[in-house]
Amino acid sequence: MTATVTQPKCEIKDISLASQGKQRIEWAGREMPVLRQIQERFAKEKPLDGIRLVACCHVTTETAHLAIALKNAGADALLIASNPLSTQDDVAASLVADHGIPVFAIKGEDNETYHRHVNIALDHKPNIIIDDGSDVTATLIQERQGQIGDIIGTTEETTTGIVRLQAMFNDGVLSFPAMNVNDADTKHFFDNRYGTGQSTLDGIIRATNVLLAGKTIVVVGYGWCGKGVAMRARGLGANVIVTEIDPTKAIEAVMDGFRVMPMEKAAPQGDLFVTVTGNKHVIRPEHFEVMKDGAMVCNSGHFDIEIDLKSLGEKATEVKDVRPFTQQYTMPSGKSVVVLGEGRLINLAAAEGHPSAVMDMSFANQALACEYLVTQKDQLEPGLHSIPVEVDKEIARLKLQAMGIEIDTLTPAQVEYINSWTMGT
Ligand code: ADE
């Protein structure tokens, strides 16, 4: 007998997509053994009992497993999209129909709807916010000061969100704890690098179906995401150029075997440009002007600000949809620039985001960060907090165990050696 689920309030594309969503969520679950163990423990221990929680995430099969963990934990959880173009509508439908979780997310929603959903989330009066890019936290601070007293804390998924939270803290407006999920080793080493690496190329290939072997791909930014994109692009036979503003990262890129140069020099050489900097207008009119005819540009950073699309649109004599998520802008010179995914995260717009196996660890961190906020709420000062190293290591240990991989342990003599300063040569 199946349990009846009361359908909560929601704004989704189509509830009849639920059975397809359910099947896809189950498939993703096969690659998420760490989060599954947390789901099971949370169902028994209910660590978030009575907590009102808002999750602002990309609504994907992987996020569905996080939402289920939160619900199992006893949280009164509501889910909204963290990007207008990343929602998987079938997943949203299944979360509503099969799990009774309120979801406000529709793939392709306009900016006004996106912001209305952020406000619906805040109307839920959250005690905990899981943010991906910090939009809910920023709106709370800017527009809902009266609700700050309800907040136990927030948890943040992305590099972009962490940069924003640090700026809030520096401005003296972050008056509650914020868990830095992004910087956990089991998050950024895997999600940002291998997740972005694979899913970005997946998005580009699904959008364009072009052969990447032999193409010149310009990777803009060599943080963890850029490293992943550059590594995987090279793996597919592309000739990779990296652009950077940070001298150390630039040396890293050089020693990893990539050509490094300013965008001004890379612009005429690239067949495809991928932005992953977290900053605005890293591709601008002066770059579009010198690009090859038919050059493709896309973004895998959090916000759609990295490519100056407004200027491109103003210059263009024609903008034409040539394939789903692929638009051709014709310039007055007759040359064209092809924009993928409207400059939004290409991996989530045209593909399905990072694979489940890496999101397993990212969302294990998210779930455990929420539990930590609740258990430590009387001790945590306002500002950013790292995921405790024991939690990070435990997630790695569980992942290895699930992968069937064993590792060594230190011998007693080794423990003594690394704890001693008297034993030299
Ligand atoms: N961010 C990147 N990939 C994701 C995914 N598959 N699910 C949720 N958030 C993501």
Side-chain angles (χ1 to χ4, degrees):
M1 203 180 71
T2 46
T4 351
V5 173
T6 317
Q7 191 175 309
K9 283 200 179 133
C10 63
E11 257 181 57
I12 58 171
K13 175 103 185 274
D14 181 357
I15 195 79
S16 75
L17 298 171
S19 66
Q20 178 190 312
K22 182 165 187 266
Q23 207 173 31
R24 291 182 57 248
I25 293 168
E26 280 169 12
W27 174 255
R30 294 181 185 212
E31 294 268 278
M32 304 186 80
V34 180
L35 192 57
R36 182 164 58 246
Q37 287 187 49
I38 294 170
Q39 283 171 350
E40 287 164 7
R41 179 171 68 77
F42 277 11
K44 287 194 212 112
E45 296 177 8
K46 303 276 174 212
L48 304 180
D49 207 16
I51 300 290
R52 282 191 309 276
L53 191 150
V54 160
C56 176
C57 298
H58 302 294
V59 179
T60 63
T61 51
E62 293 76 27
T63 299
H65 285 280
L66 173 63
I68 294 165
L70 301 169
K71 178 138 201 215
N72 285 1
D76 175 5
L78 179 147
L79 178 62
I80 61 167
S82 58
N83 184 291
L85 214 49
S86 61
T87 298
Q88 297 172 3
D89 291 314
D90 55 347
V91 170
S94 173
L95 283 172
V96 170
D98 302 316
H99 301 278
I101 295 172
V103 181
F104 294 81
I106 302 170
K107 186 166 179 113
E109 64 193 26
D110 58 20
N111 284 352
E112 187 259 314
T113 307
Y114 175 79
H115 289 294
R116 193 166 51 73
H117 288 167
V118 170
N119 277 292
I120 289 173
L122 287 169
D123 291 343
H124 190 58
K125 304 256 178 336
N127 308 119
I128 292 181
I129 297 166
I130 297 182
D131 236 345
D132 184 317
S134 246
D135 273 348
V136 180
T137 306
T139 309
L140 170 83
I141 290 174
Q142 285 169 306
E143 298 171 20
R144 304 273 190 126
Q145 278 287 321
Q147 281 181 234
I148 287 187
D150 294 341
I151 298 289
I152 296 173
T154 67
T155 70
E156 173 54 50
E157 176 78 2
T158 61
T159 314
T160 294
I162 295 301
V163 170
R164 272 181 108 182
L165 285 165
Q166 190 59 56
M168 291 176 206
F169 187 73
N170 296 346
D171 271 358
V173 296
L174 185 65
S175 55
F176 42 81
M179 298 302 297
N180 183 345
V181 168
N182 181 68
D183 288 358
D185 288 350
T186 47
K187 199 279 183 181
H188 70 279
F189 284 159
F190 305 96
D191 169 316
N192 301 31
R193 179 170 38 178
Y194 305 116
T196 310
Q198 178 166 322
S199 63
T200 299
L201 294 174
D202 184 12
I204 292 165
I205 292 167
R206 291 198 208 191
T208 63
N209 198 30
V210 296
L211 180 73
L212 298 182
K215 294 268 187 309
T216 297
I217 300 188
V218 180
V219 178
V220 190
Y222 203 65
W224 288 105
C225 296
K227 287 181 175 65
V229 174
M231 179 202 304
R232 293 301 182 239
R234 173 160 63 192
L236 283 170
N239 175 345
V240 179
I241 295 175
V242 170
T243 68
E244 245 307 331
I245 47 92
D246 179 291
T248 322
K249 289 182 182 152
I251 302 173
E252 248 187 309
V254 171
M255 295 208 180
D256 284 343
F258 298 111
R259 283 192 292 153
V260 175
M261 61 186 76
M263 180 53 88
E264 189 192 338
K265 294 210 168 107
Q269 300 190 43
D271 298 303
L272 168 68
F273 296 76
V274 186
T275 58
V276 262
T277 68
N279 215 329
K280 71 184 284 195
H281 296 179
V282 294
I283 302 186
R284 303 181 287 275
E286 65 264 33
H287 304 134
F288 294 127
E289 249 155 49
V290 294
M291 281 181 188
K292 292 181 190 171
D293 183 23
M296 295 177 285
V297 295
C298 68
N299 167 53
S300 218
H302 185 78
F303 288 117
D304 59 342
I305 37 93
E306 304 210 12
I307 305 169
D308 184 358
L309 285 180
K310 188 160 174 277
S311 300
L312 183 66
E314 282 164 4
K315 268 256 165 79
T317 52
E318 190 192 26
V319 181
K320 192 165 79 177
D321 287 343
V322 284
R323 286 171 61 93
F325 308 112
T326 307
Q327 289 180 310
Q328 178 171 288
Y329 287 63
T330 306
M331 311 303 286
S333 64
K335 282 196 310 186
S336 68
V337 174
V338 176
V339 177
L340 310 183
E342 299 171 22
R344 298 196 188 275
L345 289 151
I346 189 62
N347 59 340
L348 283 140
E352 295 171 63
H354 302 349
S356 317
V358 290
M359 295 314 294
D360 187 28
M361 291 187 281
S362 308
F363 285 162
N365 275 291
Q366 283 288 6
L368 298 181
C370 293
E371 181 181 39
Y372 184 78
L373 277 174
V374 171
T375 57
Q376 304 299 313
K377 69 173 184 302
D378 299 327
Q379 274 79 49
L380 290 172
E381 298 287 328
L384 278 163
H385 294 266
S386 302
I387 299 294
V389 84
E390 325 72 84
V391 173
D392 209 353
K393 291 286 174 212
E394 178 62 5
I395 292 171
R397 199 189 59 74
L398 290 173
K399 188 72 177 176
L400 273 178
Q401 193 182 56
M403 294 163 99
I405 296 170
E406 291 175 299
I407 58 170
D408 287 323
T409 47
L410 293 171
T411 64
Q414 287 171 330
V415 172
E416 195 193 342
Y417 182 79
I418 50 165
N419 286 307
S420 154
W421 57 270
T422 54
M423 290 184 256
T425 310

